[in-house]
Amino acid sequence: MNRCIVAESSMTYAMKVKQLLEGHSIASSVVRLDPSQTKKGCGYGVEFDCAEYENAITILERARIPYTVVSGAAR
Amino acid sequence: MITNKIIYFDNAATTFPKPSVVSDEVYRCMTEYGGNPGRSSHVLSSAAAEKVYECRELIAEMFGSASPENVVFTYNATYAINMALKGVLHPGDHVLISSIEHNSVIRPVHAMRENGVEYSVFNVSLNEERLIKNIEAAILPTTKVIIVSHSSNICGITLPLRRIGSLCRAHDIIFIVDASQSAGTRDINVTREFIDILCAPGHKGLYGPQGSGFMLVSENSKLKVPIMTLIEGGNGTNSLFPEMPDFLPERLEAGTLGTPAIAGLCEGIKFVKSIGTREIFEHECRIYRRIRNNLKNIRGVLLYADNINESSVLIFNMRNKSSSEVSSRLDEIGICTRSGLHCSPLTHKMLETGEDGAVRISIGYFNTTDEADELCNAVALIANG
């Protein structure tokens, strides 16, 4: 299973995204990101199965939650 | 350890006792999962972060917000009020406060005069139309904020939030509410009542531990720029930059959170929800009316604002005795009350209690009718002694 990651601005937003995705039956987990991945210093991301990438991105955009793709899949 | 039987009627200062689920959770946090939330990704940090987020969700849901990220944790309501006022007011701005405010509001606005922020006080009236007229008459072209205490901490006066919020919306004024005495006992909805910022303690009507409090910024708020920070520091977010983040809650949460207190608050809110705010308040009102009606019949006891039927606080004085003397005598009998001005000199002035203030009886969910009767018997004993 390939894992996709979206970076969030904070742990709080990462938790919000995790709850949101799980509410849509997309299993996810919060992961710590390296400063080089965020370009902003310490950060958090949400990891999920790349098979759900399309769905997950659509859900985030509908909820107007900002994100940055760290590790994605082709749309 | 205090082993004698204690009757506690000082719930407006902090509720006591706390439900066992609260103290159990504080202990569990400190022994099982108390990592530093938002600092790492190991199992203990993640578990703590999940608990903190759960509490944000519960607070947002309870007070009508769909944005848990807009819940900013503080150490008490005073800290939240300071953060809100000092975060939105600038030199040249005017803030309007009510005549039932606590020093948690009076002192910050008074101190801000040195920075060019002016304040004035509008008179609270039990007549809603007169109250709204009083507020409208006090609004200046420079009025940026109206801040009110939802319920007084010394009598049953409760302000009509929706009416005041609607007025604020019409005048493009930021509406801040101090819910220190109402969070957990009154239905408050930041969206319905046009509240921009709600400030509340966790350790009163929400039955959390002392050291917990929050401010909730409504997602519908008219705040156009980020709230200015009161303190700055690390929070595990955007750490390459010297500025605080420009988004909530991390913008206003610098340094390590009080995770055990937040964990306890989380369970306190669940406890309140399991009973219902209305049921809790009705229970407190029943005890209040029982005490009020009994004290009315004791010669030498003077009650204030006792025409209000729905309340969980009552103040009184006794002829020829100071409030501290009466409160001390009650304490000797094992009954906890609070004397003096209760940090609300404006309200005491309005009620004309005198320079010594009064004795306050404040009721919580765990008080019983038997305790109410014991209190009244004790007051009668002191009055006759």
Side-chain angles (χ1 to χ4, degrees):
Chain A
M1 181 176 73
N2 291 327
R3 307 296 292 175
C4 285
I5 299 173
V6 290
E8 285 303 325
S9 53
S10 67
M11 168 58 95
T12 307
Y13 270 90
M15 295 294 305
K16 185 180 175 91
V17 168
K18 178 177 183 285
Q19 300 274 4
L20 187 64
L21 295 183
E22 290 184 347
H24 286 81
S25 304
I26 300 175
S28 59
S29 55
V30 173
V31 293
R32 177 92 165 155
L33 299 177
D34 291 330
S36 61
Q37 291 174 293
T38 66
K39 311 297 183 199
K40 292 179 179 177
C42 306
Y44 290 88
V46 181
E47 189 181 58
F48 49 88
D49 185 349
C50 285
E52 298 285 358
Y53 182 76
E54 271 307 323
N55 276 342
I57 295 300
T58 304
I59 291 164
L60 293 187
E61 288 178 351
R62 276 195 190 141
R64 296 181 183 177
I65 298 177
Y67 64 90
T68 306
V69 177
V70 173
S71 169
R75 296 193 80 178
Chain B
M1 185 175 174
I2 297 168
T3 53
N4 294 337
K5 185 191 170 198
I6 295 288
I7 295 176
Y8 186 80
F9 277 115
D10 195 17
N11 291 282
T14 192
T15 48
F16 182 87
K18 306 299 182 189
S20 59
V21 288
V22 171
S23 46
D24 288 351
E25 191 64 29
V26 172
Y27 182 78
R28 213 168 77 77
C29 176
M30 296 181 80
T31 55
E32 293 180 26
Y33 65 83
N36 196 331
R39 299 298 191 277
S40 317
S41 60
H42 57 69
V43 63
L44 296 186
S45 174
S46 298
E50 281 186 18
K51 195 70 191 173
V52 168
Y53 190 75
E54 182 186 2
C55 196
R56 292 191 206 278
E57 286 188 307
L58 285 168
I59 290 168
E61 185 198 357
M62 181 173 239
F63 298 105
S65 168
S67 303
E69 67 274 17
N70 283 9
V71 174
V72 177
F73 286 114
T74 61
Y75 305 108
N76 48 52
T78 298
Y79 199 102
I81 290 164
N82 270 267
M83 197 181 264
L85 288 170
K86 292 169 183 171
V88 302
L89 288 165
H90 297 86
D93 289 337
H94 171 254
V95 52
L96 198 49
I97 73 172
S98 86
S99 59
I100 63 164
E101 294 311 305
H102 188 274
N103 274 343
S104 58
V105 168
I106 298 168
R107 286 182 169 170
V109 297
H110 191 77
M112 289 176 80
R113 291 197 313 171
E114 286 195 9
N115 301 325
V117 173
E118 294 298 323
Y119 77 95
S120 50
V121 183
F122 66 86
N123 285 327
V124 166
S125 167
L126 290 178
N127 179 310
E128 200 170 304
E129 298 310 318
R130 193 174 304 151
L131 169 71
I132 296 299
K133 278 183 183 165
N134 288 350
I135 299 173
E136 274 188 309
I139 292 173
L140 303 177
T142 52
T143 303
K144 186 172 184 183
V145 167
I146 293 179
I147 179 166
V148 301
S149 177
H150 185 196
S151 291
S152 164
N153 66 322
I154 61 170
C155 66
I157 294 175
T158 296
L159 300 185
L161 295 185
R162 188 174 163 79
R163 288 289 305 273
I164 302 172
S166 180
L167 187 68
C168 287
R169 199 47 63 105
H171 287 80
D172 201 26
I173 291 169
I174 294 163
F175 186 32
I176 303 174
V177 173
D178 169 11
S180 291
Q181 300 300 330
S182 57
T185 52
R186 303 285 185 131
D187 182 23
I188 303 169
N189 183 306
V190 292
T191 305
R192 185 185 63 215
E193 277 135 10
F194 308 111
I195 297 167
D196 291 287
I197 304 175
L198 180 74
C199 303
H203 65 98
K204 294 187 179 180
L206 296 174
Y207 288 87
Q210 292 176 31
S212 61
F214 64 87
M215 102 185 210
L216 169 60
V217 181
S218 170
E219 61 266 37
N220 302 311
S221 170
K222 65 183 80 65
L223 287 164
K224 294 178 184 71
V225 293
I227 296 172
M228 290 183 292
T229 55
L230 201 59
I231 61 163
E232 297 81 26
N235 54 21
T237 301
N238 288 5
S239 43
L240 269 179
F241 301 103
E243 301 88 10
M244 290 298 282
D246 61 1
F247 48 84
L248 296 176
E250 281 79 9
R251 178 170 180 76
L252 301 175
E253 289 180 347
T256 298
L257 294 173
T259 309
I262 293 168
L265 172 59
C266 192
E267 299 310 307
I269 293 170
K270 288 181 195 168
F271 168 80
V272 169
K273 284 180 72 172
S274 71
I275 295 161
T277 52
R278 188 67 214 169
E279 176 53 38
I280 290 173
F281 188 56
E282 281 176 0
H283 170 79
E284 292 176 0
C285 289
R286 281 192 292 272
I287 305 272
Y288 159 85
R289 287 190 290 268
R290 189 178 184 97
I291 294 171
R292 180 196 61 181
N293 295 344
N294 283 335
L295 293 190
K296 266 182 181 176
N297 295 323
I298 300 173
R299 183 186 287 262
V301 169
L302 177 61
L303 298 173
Y304 300 90
D306 60 332
N307 55 336
I308 297 169
N309 269 322
E310 292 211 323
S311 177
S312 53
V313 284
L314 177 66
I315 56 169
F316 73 97
N317 268 319
M318 209 174 270
R319 196 169 294 141
N320 301 325
K321 289 184 175 62
S322 71
S323 66
S324 60
E325 186 183 349
V326 175
S327 199
S328 293
R329 291 282 304 278
L330 288 168
D331 186 40
E332 287 166 13
I333 301 169
I335 300 174
C336 303
T337 59
R338 181 173 167 188
S339 63
L341 296 172
H342 313 98
C343 300
S344 294
L346 293 179
T347 325
H348 275 278
K349 190 177 172 189
M350 186 175 82
L351 297 175
E352 300 178 335
T353 60
E355 63 180 13
D356 279 340
V359 181
R360 182 180 70 184
I361 298 160
S362 52
I363 299 141
Y365 182 69
F366 293 111
N367 285 126
T368 64
T369 50
D370 285 348
E371 289 178 338
D373 293 345
E374 283 194 53
L375 166 70
C376 295
N377 291 338
V379 172
L381 195 70
I382 296 167
N384 296 326

